[in-house]
Amino acid sequence: MYGFKALIFDVDGTVADTERDGHRPAFNAAFAEVGLDWHWDPALYGELLAVAGGKERIRYFMMREGIRLDPGADEDAFVADLHRRKTRHYLAMLSQGAIPLRPGVLRLWREARAAGIRLAIATTTTPENVVALLAHAGEPSLADWFDVIAAGDSVPAKKPAPDIYHLVLEQLGLEASDCIAFEDSDNGARAALDAGLSCLVITTNAYTAGQDFGAAPLILDQLGEPSSPPRLAVGDLAGRDCVDLQALERLHHQVTAAGGASS
Ligand code: XBP
Ligand code: MG
């Protein structure tokens, strides 16, 4: 029996390393498709990741570069069309199995499922991207393992706003204190913490290592496997060699005892 009832996962950068080699080339393919000479190299994309949401990121880039459409042009339609094309390219990459899950993710999901711990997703990316990523992860009907998949435009404000986590908690019918959240970025950490999810695990990646994750009690470079333990930046694994349910039980107990987990 565990003190927590559900695990809530961010997707991009947490469940899979999708940004540099997934979303970014998909954006560039969309730009080329419509004859734009825009190109987002890995370094520039790292800067643009300060803004969550693909459509929002395109607007942010246009603002930064002082790019204006012809007077009378419908910018919403322009951005929406570019983003639809980008999503199509991204889905094509996923269907070729181009983006595997990060180490330890599927193991932890299997452990949770076997223990009756509920699973949920809180992501900024487009819903069909989540379903496609799970569909090509090598585990049949993986998307059915999740009680809630909340994504994209299903909330008015994107991370770092806490809206997507509030929506997940509401749909799970649980308190924040019953849950553990998993994120990779400063925007995501703020969204989870501002939703009261103090029991927060950060798995950093090349784009987010060194960001400010606030009061997140456990920060590592991956969830790890018994054969390849994670590198810890903050917190400990209670003697476990990877992030498993026992390590999470200890973490949740510590956070609850410290009065961190709030309803
Ligand atoms: C990260 C995001 C997403 C992706 C791109 O999402 O900010 O916008 O970068 O996906 P997460 P879309 O919350 O999972 O870390 O183009 O579909 O928005
Ligand atoms: Mg993320």
Side-chain angles (χ1 to χ4, degrees):
M1 186 58 191
Y2 295 95
F4 52 91
K5 298 187 178 84
L7 306 181
I8 307 173
F9 286 83
D10 166 54
V11 171
D12 296 301
T14 302
V15 163
D17 232 337
T18 52
E19 296 290 6
R20 190 191 60 199
D21 303 328
H23 291 295
R24 184 185 64 85
F27 279 110
N28 288 330
F31 302 152
E33 196 177 276
V34 297
L36 289 169
D37 62 357
W38 304 354
H39 181 78
W40 292 354
D41 65 24
L44 169 58
Y45 192 66
E47 293 169 24
L48 298 174
L49 280 173
V51 173
K55 293 186 289 294
E56 295 78 0
R57 199 164 298 136
I58 293 171
R59 286 179 191 287
Y60 174 52
F61 172 73
M62 292 172 70
M63 183 273 293
R64 276 175 49 130
E65 306 298 315
I67 296 168
R68 296 214 184 321
L69 302 183
D70 299 341
D74 179 343
E75 187 172 301
D76 288 349
F78 171 78
V79 170
D81 173 67
L82 261 184
H83 191 253
R84 258 192 308 278
R85 291 169 188 273
K86 172 256 167 180
T87 299
R88 188 164 33 78
H89 288 288
Y90 181 66
L91 292 173
M93 295 169 73
L94 290 178
S95 67
Q96 287 141 27
I99 314 258
L101 301 186
R102 292 189 72 183
V105 170
L106 196 50
R107 169 191 51 76
L108 185 58
W109 288 352
R110 286 187 177 125
E111 285 177 18
R113 193 169 151 76
I117 302 288
R118 300 168 70 189
L119 294 173
I121 279 179
T123 177
T124 310
T125 198
T126 307
E128 57 203 295
N129 292 348
V130 182
V131 174
L133 180 71
L134 298 177
H136 296 95
E139 180 75 45
S141 23
L142 189 51
D144 301 342
W145 293 17
F146 294 82
D147 286 14
V148 175
I149 296 181
D153 299 332
S154 57
V155 289
K158 295 185 176 171
K159 299 173 183 176
D163 302 35
I164 197 83
Y165 281 105
H166 286 313
L167 178 63
V168 169
L169 290 171
E170 187 195 313
Q171 293 187 351
L172 284 172
L174 292 176
E175 302 293 336
S177 53
D178 297 320
C179 304
I180 300 177
F182 295 79
E183 270 284 356
D184 73 303
S185 68
D186 50 4
N187 279 340
R190 233 168 77 216
L193 292 168
D194 288 356
L197 289 154
S198 309
C199 199
L200 173 62
V201 177
I202 303 288
T203 50
T204 60
N205 53 58
Y207 276 131
T208 67
Q211 288 184 345
D212 174 1
F213 303 110
L218 185 60
I219 303 175
L220 332 89
D221 66 342
Q222 55 167 312
L223 295 178
E225 299 287 0
S227 55
S228 64
R231 245 199 337 272
L232 276 149
V234 171
D236 69 75
L237 293 177
R240 310 296 297 173
D241 49 22
C242 60
V243 178
D244 60 11
L245 295 182
Q246 284 79 3
L248 293 174
E249 176 63 12
R250 216 300 276 277
L251 179 73
H252 186 259
H253 180 75
Q254 281 175 334
V255 170
T256 307
S262 59
S263 300

